[in-house]
Amino acid sequence: MVSVLIIFLSTGCSNDSSGTSTQSKLPLLIISDVHFTPFYDTTIFDDLVNSPVEEWADLFESSTVTDLSSWGQETNYPLLKRALTAASRSVGEGQAVIFPGDILAHQFPETFFKLYGEEDYDALRSFVYKTVVFFATQVRERMGSVPVMFTLGNNDSYAGDYLLVPGGAFLADTAEAFYNTFLLGWADRKSYFSTYPAGGYFVAEPPGAKVLFVCVNSILFSNHRTEGCTDSTDNAATTQLAWLEKVLEKAYADQKKVFMVTHIPTGMSIYSTVQTYMDASGKISGADVFWKESCQNRFLEICRKYESVIEIIFSGHTHMDEYRLILDHDDEAYKPIMVTPAVSPQFGNNPAFKVLTLAGEDWEPLDYRSISCDLNLSSPDFSTYYVFSEAYSTEMPLEESLVDLFPKMKNNDSDRKNYARFYYSGHDDANIIDDTTWPAYWCGIGRMNRGEYIECVNGYR
């Protein structure tokens, strides 16, 4: 297969951010947390239920609702179409696209049953399946022959939020569709159909790629699930971690670099920590961790053991433009997780996605630009919001720049204000990051351990 040849928009990527101007540069599109809602126009709901998925696009096109979703709403079809069209212009000669999860809108089963009139789980299963297939097809129509490295979000299941069943019907039903439509078959079929139906994780190596894409299902590690990572042989989360260690061990032996894709990042749920545990002075009495600590501790041990092969980790979930440094050495944090903001504007953010610049020779991440849609405008559309190297005045490759930025932001008012402004992709009516809450957000970048995070926030100077 040959990568789709689309003119690469070079806006914001022409600067030599790493001193590698003689190297070819490739784009890597990351788009996350779409949370598509087929319920935005209830007048066509019955038609969607009764029609094959191949007719859904025509049904959405016939809708009288043509405005993009706004803040506090999930992604409707007009916003989905606008976002994917804009994203397709940034694919260029890239060999892959990354989607860190959450196809489905929040409260999907509840909304379906309310409109359907009864709790018919067979009808729900059919509708969910058609929705994810419709989304995957819409992505494929715009990404040409570029494979999409994906993972599942916490809403991507039949049962509801965080309720994906390992070895269950959703994984079984979607395995073939995602393999063919997202991955285009560019994963070892035997391996993929062994691990994805069992737990939603897999390895892929697209044609021309200089790295392995290791797609991890972090939903199994979530603090919202009852089970953690136990020593039981039938524990799905523990089984995945054992698989991950073997994959990284082989990558090390084969001298392969790894791009890891996961939905939920490690570390703190900063927003809920601020809302639940912070007093008026900015001190916190506790903290919410995204993952079960038994899972996070083991995951970080594995990453520390094989940190030399892990190039970067991609995630979503928070809906915000942020990053985290997951490992530490002599109290200095390193090894970044890049969190891509959401297309869905439900939590007050502007819709956005990111485009990395990779060194063509070895796929080293050099820089990125944020592409956002300012919903304040009378005719909102996606355009470059900022370029990382320009915003933070750096000429180093991306990993070094992110590591360097963390301590700098503590004393550099300009960098701090940029980070706070970019966090919501340009829209934050609540002004959630202020002088009082800033330590919680800053410490959340480089403190993965709950105790160390609380100490960092309360001891911030």
Side-chain angles (χ1 to χ4, degrees), residues 232-251:
S232 172
T233 56
D234 63 353
N235 180 276
T238 303
T239 299
Q240 181 180 196
L241 287 172
W243 166 85
L244 175 63
E245 185 166 21
K246 289 181 180 178
V247 167
L248 295 180
E249 180 183 25
K250 187 176 188 306

Side-chain angles (χ1 to χ4, degrees), residues 7 78 124 156 203 243 245 268 275 306:
I7 296 174
L124 170 66
D156 297 334
V203 174
W243 166 85
E245 185 166 21
M268 304 304 120
Q275 295 298 306
Y306 294 105

Side-chain angles (χ1 to χ4, degrees), residues 59 111 156 175 194 237 240 246 258 288 292 301 315 415-416 456:
L59 290 171
T111 305
D156 297 334
S194 171
Q240 181 180 196
K246 289 181 180 178
V258 165
D288 284 336
K292 293 283 187 182
E301 285 177 8
S315 73
D415 287 340
R416 170 186 160 180
C456 176

Side-chain angles (χ1 to χ4, degrees), residues 254-326:
D254 294 343
Q255 298 184 325
K256 291 277 190 178
K257 293 199 302 183
V258 165
F259 281 7
M260 195 180 300
V261 184
T262 186
H263 181 66
I264 307 173
T266 57
M268 304 304 120
S269 175
I270 303 172
Y271 177 80
S272 64
T273 294
V274 168
Q275 295 298 306
T276 305
Y277 297 107
M278 181 171 282
D279 63 24
S281 71
K283 304 297 184 183
I284 57 174
S285 58
D288 284 336
V289 185
F290 275 134
W291 291 16
K292 293 283 187 182
E293 291 186 78
S294 57
C295 299
Q296 175 169 293
N297 291 340
R298 181 64 185 131
F299 175 80
L300 295 179
E301 285 177 8
I302 294 169
C303 289
R304 188 171 292 108
K305 184 177 180 181
Y306 294 105
E307 61 89 17
S308 62
V309 303
I310 301 171
E311 184 74 22
I312 192 169
I313 302 174
F314 300 94
S315 73
H317 186 63
T318 70
H319 288 218
M320 304 307 162
D321 188 341
E322 56 165 313
Y323 76 102
R324 298 175 182 217
L325 301 171
I326 66 168

